[in-house]
Amino acid sequence: MNITRRALLAGTAALPLVASAQTASGVGRRTMNHVKDHITRLVDQHRDGVAPIVSLGDPVLRQPADPFDGQVDDKLLAEFIELMQRTMRAAPGVGLAAPQIGVPVRIAVLEDPATVSDEVAEARHRYPLEFFAAINPDYRPNGHKRRGFYEGCLSMPGYTGVVNRPYSVHATYTDPTGHPHHKTFTGWQARIVQHETDHLRGTVYVDKLEPRSLSTTENYLDNWNDPIPTRAAQALRFHLD
Ligand code: ZN
């Protein structure tokens, strides 16, 4: 928490978003202005810098984000995505959803340099994912195969837990130029796609994790940092797909 963050929150509270809804279209217009104002302010405040990441407990992480439907023009959208990219890389993280910097809109950025050992890469099927921005992403499982691994979230630093997830997903999203994409992701890339898309639905990985696996990052590194968490599942007694 810092002064910038408090100022941001104060600014949010001052917007005419709250209550006094008269018509559905009025609500829609206010929501649209809210997203636009929020993006404009963030881009202005953090030009060439990074945006503050909001933590668990902030309601923005728990509401379904609005679809992106042109609330900002192409130039501002590109600047916002660059801000998200800088913020993700500085964290560092392999994905960032717009609500994580306080904006309830369905935009996420993903990128995984996969700087892990060959052994870990092979065990987790974790291979480099080139940077891309996903607008209005969605996914559905591809087949029934599931795998469980420890994952973490920039909005809940210091903790990690095992989430059993579909091994492969079919994803749809639009890129910033408006092109629709249908892609199949597998392994760790599918995990990142699911984690970030879940954020846009108001879902955080703690909703899906095996509760008995939850660990501080420190204890995880000391005790359970195996390529596949079989030993942790047995010792801590949680289900591992
Ligand atoms: Zn996250």
Side-chain angles (χ1 to χ4, degrees):
M1 180 75 66
N2 56 38
I3 291 163
T4 308
R5 172 95 184 100
R6 277 199 294 274
L8 203 62
L9 286 168
T12 305
L15 283 176
L17 172 76
V18 270
S20 73
Q22 293 115 5
T23 63
S25 61
V27 171
R29 195 166 56 246
R30 273 194 293 277
T31 304
M32 183 171 165
N33 288 339
H34 176 56
V35 166
K36 183 183 177 182
D37 292 349
H38 214 138
I39 289 177
T40 305
R41 196 165 56 241
L42 273 178
V43 166
D44 279 350
Q45 284 182 342
H46 306 289
R47 239 167 240 293
D48 303 323
V50 301
I53 294 176
V54 303
S55 301
L56 208 61
D58 189 312
V60 73
L61 293 174
R62 290 317 200 165
Q63 68 186 84
D66 290 345
F68 179 78
D69 58 3
Q71 290 95 329
V72 297
D73 63 23
D74 289 355
K75 180 171 177 284
L76 190 50
L77 176 64
E79 288 174 333
F80 181 59
I81 288 168
E82 284 167 19
L83 173 63
M84 290 182 69
Q85 182 185 48
R86 289 196 300 274
T87 304
M88 171 182 68
R89 286 178 174 174
V94 296
L96 185 76
Q100 291 185 277
I101 53 171
V103 186
V105 68
R106 295 182 60 84
I107 300 176
V109 293
L110 302 83
E111 178 183 49
D112 185 11
T115 45
V116 293
S117 68
D118 289 349
E119 185 195 7
V120 166
E122 281 164 31
R124 299 180 188 172
H125 293 193
R126 181 171 179 174
Y127 302 108
L129 176 65
E130 207 172 300
F131 176 85
F132 71 102
I135 294 168
N136 300 326
D138 216 341
Y139 72 83
R140 60 185 170 83
N142 170 30
H144 298 290
K145 186 176 171 184
R146 295 170 64 85
R147 296 296 301 274
F149 289 105
Y150 278 93
E151 61 184 74
C153 180
L154 297 175
S155 293
M156 192 185 168
Y159 288 89
T160 181
V162 167
V163 185
N164 292 302
R165 294 187 181 273
Y167 169 74
S168 176
V169 294
H170 291 304
T172 58
Y173 61 93
T174 303
D175 68 30
T177 68
H179 273 88
H181 294 259
H182 299 259
K183 275 186 78 170
T184 301
F185 294 90
T186 58
W188 207 265
Q189 297 183 355
R191 182 167 296 272
I192 301 169
V193 167
Q194 291 172 72
H195 181 116
E196 300 311 328
T197 306
D198 286 353
H199 268 303
L200 303 175
R201 299 170 176 172
T203 297
V204 183
Y205 87 100
V206 290
D207 303 346
K208 295 186 167 182
L209 63 69
E210 294 299 319
R212 298 183 61 94
S213 71
L214 189 61
S215 171
T216 63
T217 309
E218 197 177 11
N219 282 336
Y220 165 76
L221 291 172
D222 283 349
N223 300 307
W224 312 118
N225 188 11
D226 302 329
I228 295 173
T230 314
R231 204 170 48 86
Q234 284 166 0
L236 303 175
R237 291 184 288 123
F238 62 82
H239 175 75
L240 182 67
D241 278 334

